Amino acid sequence: LQPFENVKDKTDIHGHSMPLVALGTFILFFGFLGFNGGSVLTLEGTENAVTMSLAVMNTVLAASGGGLAAVF
């Protein structure tokens, strides 16, 4: 199934809005930060704070690695 095979002028397919792509990426990233950091549920004691900071750090590093992989 190739839906655009019979289209003679393939320039009629409009592109996406890059500002909206960037906005959606940032919204998704902050959602991941809140979800992964909030999965600890409490910050009673240093063990929970270390677990939360590790989850947030892993989220930031994973997003950074994914962004670098997409660019290069």
Side-chain angles (χ1 to χ4, degrees), residues 43-54:
L43 283 177
E44 296 176 1
T46 57
E47 291 180 14
N48 289 337
V50 168
T51 303
M52 189 270 304
S53 63
L54 183 64

Side-chain angles (χ1 to χ4, degrees), residues 2-69:
Q2 295 180 354
F4 301 112
E5 183 177 307
N6 296 330
V7 177
K8 292 179 183 177
D9 187 16
K10 294 185 177 24
T11 59
D12 288 338
I13 302 169
H14 299 290
H16 300 286
S17 171
M18 287 309 292
L20 289 179
V21 169
L23 177 66
T25 301
F26 286 125
I27 290 172
L28 187 64
F29 174 69
F30 286 121
F32 277 132
L33 279 179
F35 179 77
N36 292 338
S39 64
V40 177
L41 296 178
T42 61
L43 283 177
E44 296 176 1
T46 57
E47 291 180 14
N48 289 337
V50 168
T51 303
M52 189 270 304
S53 63
L54 183 64
V56 169
M57 184 182 68
N58 285 339
T59 302
V60 171
L61 288 176
S64 301
L68 287 174

